[in-house]
């Protein structure tokens, strides 16, 4: 049997729905876990956003990529694409095994 590798790419829109009205990062995380992907390639993911940390009650204490990776994808790397006064966002790669 040939081993398989499941790779998923997804633009998380900084944790908001398509209309940018609802914070849905927790639901995104559950959906990503359900895919059982070995590697996740995530776009528009926050490392820090001080404005939303104060404004959104269920904003994670960790960076968004650490929050999604926690207990499922132990290896990850993040690259900043946009830096601004309140924080930054970029791309993250999460990997379940090496």
């Amino acid at each position: 049997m040939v081993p398989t590798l499941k790779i998923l790419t997804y633009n998380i829109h900084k944790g908001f729905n398509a209309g940018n009205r609802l914070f849905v990062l927790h639901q995104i995380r559950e959906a990503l876990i359900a895919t059982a992907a070995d590697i996740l390639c995530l776009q528009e993911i926050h490392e820090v956003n001080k404005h939303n940390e104060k404004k959104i009650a269920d904003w994670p204490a960790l960076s968004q990529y650490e929050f999604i990776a926690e207990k499922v994808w132990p290896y990850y790397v993040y690259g900043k694409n946009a830096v601004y006064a309140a924080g930054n966002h970029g791309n993250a790669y999460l990997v379940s095994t090496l």
Side-chain angles (χ1 to χ4, degrees), residues 9-57:
T9 183
Y10 186 67
N11 183 328
I12 73 159
H13 298 284
K14 302 173 192 152
F16 291 87
N17 70 347
N20 282 329
R21 292 180 176 256
L22 299 173
F23 184 65
V24 293
L25 185 66
H26 298 266
Q27 294 90 327
I28 290 170
R29 181 180 191 275
E30 293 306 314
L32 293 172
I33 289 170
T35 70
D38 299 301
I39 300 173
L40 292 179
C41 307
L42 303 174
Q43 300 85 44
E44 289 191 38
I45 191 162
H46 277 299
E47 180 180 42
V48 175
N49 187 302
K50 294 175 185 175
H51 176 71
N52 286 339
E53 286 174 11
K54 294 175 187 172
K55 185 172 90 172
I56 298 171

Side-chain angles (χ1 to χ4, degrees), residues 64-85:
Q64 287 185 341
Y65 59 88
E66 290 171 310
F67 171 73
I68 292 171
E70 191 173 36
K71 297 180 184 173
V72 181
W73 295 277
Y75 308 100
Y76 49 83
V77 63
Y78 171 76
K80 295 176 190 176
N81 289 340
V83 179
Y84 32 87

